[in-house]
Amino acid sequence: MTYTTQQLIDILDQELKAAWRGERVLLSTDDRLANPVVSKAIGADKLSKVFAFKDFRDQIHQYQREHNVSGLVWHPCSFKGQTIRLPEVHPDLTAIPADKATLAAAKSSIIQFWHDSIAGLRLWAAGHDPVELDAATVEAYIKETEWADISATRTELYLGLCWGNPKDCYCGWAYPESGCHRIIAAAAEPSAIKV
C-alpha cells in the first residue's frame, strides 16, 4: 500500500514534533554547516533537530518521486462572496511531474475567478514599492505563465502567475528558470502585507 499525500503530511508532522522534543538525534551536524561561528551560536542540539527533520523530509520527497505521490493540497479562497478551491504544493512536500500538470489545468478557473472578482479594483505589481499596472500588462503575464495561484484578504486579491519548478517559483534565487509575477487587486494602494 502506498501512502497518500495526507498520510505523508501527518507523518512529517509527527516527525517534526519528535525532532523538537529531542527524540531524533543526528550526530554529524558539525560538517553540515560550513560556518563554524553560526554553528556554535545555534548549538549542536538545535542543529541536530533541524538536520534530522531535513533528512527525514528528503526521504519523504524521494518516496513521493518513487511512488508518484502528489505533493498538492487543495484549499479554498474566498473574495467578495465567491469561493474557489485551488491546488498548491504543501510546504513540506515536493511536486511530482503530474502536479505541475494539475496546477496548469487549474489556471483557467483561477483566472476566471480573478476576472470575476476585480471589477472596480486597481492592479499593482507586488513588491517593496508597488507599481500600478494596466490590465493589458497583466493579461500579457497571464498568457506567458504556466499556472496561477490566488489568495485574498477582506479587501485585496493576490494573483500569482508562475512558471518553472512549482517548489522553487517563489524563491528569488530560482529566477529566471522559475518565478512568479505577483499581482495585487486593491481599491487603492495595496496594504503592506507581503505576498
Side-chain angles (χ1 to χ4, degrees):
M1 180 189 98
T2 303
Y3 290 107
T4 65
T5 301
Q6 186 57 54
Q7 287 171 324
L8 292 180
I9 292 168
D10 294 342
I11 290 167
L12 280 163
D13 184 56
Q14 292 169 7
E15 188 64 20
L16 178 62
K17 289 175 183 173
W20 285 112
R21 285 191 306 264
E23 296 171 6
R24 305 294 184 265
V25 178
L26 190 64
L27 300 175
S28 61
T29 58
D30 290 340
D31 58 344
R32 297 282 185 106
L33 198 57
N35 189 323
V37 174
V38 173
S39 180
K40 188 163 184 92
I42 294 173
D45 182 51
K46 287 181 183 171
L47 283 176
S48 174
K49 292 174 182 177
V50 168
F51 286 117
F53 181 72
K54 182 191 175 310
D55 288 354
F56 187 80
R57 187 175 56 203
D58 291 345
Q59 291 174 22
I60 293 291
H61 292 177
Q62 184 61 34
Y63 180 88
Q64 283 182 260
R65 288 186 285 272
E66 288 174 5
H67 297 278
N68 206 31
V69 179
S70 174
L72 296 179
V73 292
W74 291 77
H75 66 90
C77 175
S78 298
F79 189 72
K80 291 185 174 180
Q82 298 185 87
T83 300
I84 185 173
R85 287 188 46 80
L86 63 145
E88 72 177 351
V89 180
H90 187 277
D92 285 326
L93 297 177
T94 193
I96 61 172
D99 290 343
K100 190 170 179 179
T102 301
L103 292 168
K107 179 181 174 182
S108 63
S109 61
I110 293 169
I111 297 304
Q112 186 62 51
F113 181 86
W114 167 262
H115 286 139
D116 293 345
S117 302
I118 62 168
L121 300 178
R122 294 165 57 191
L123 305 177
W124 302 83
H128 181 65
D129 294 318
V131 175
E132 192 162 9
L133 298 172
D134 60 35
T137 301
V138 174
E139 291 305 314
Y141 287 160
I142 288 170
K143 287 179 184 171
E144 69 185 29
T145 55
E146 296 177 83
W147 73 93
D149 70 30
I150 202 160
S151 57
T153 64
R154 262 190 358 214
T155 59
E156 296 177 351
L157 191 61
Y158 307 94
L159 178 66
L161 298 167
C162 310
W163 67 92
N165 183 333
K167 195 65 177 176
D168 297 338
C169 68
Y170 303 110
C171 303
W173 55 262
Y175 188 82
E177 290 80 21
S178 298
C180 188
H181 297 296
R182 301 295 287 175
I183 313 298
I184 305 169
E189 191 166 322
S191 66
I193 295 173
K194 291 187 178 189
V195 292

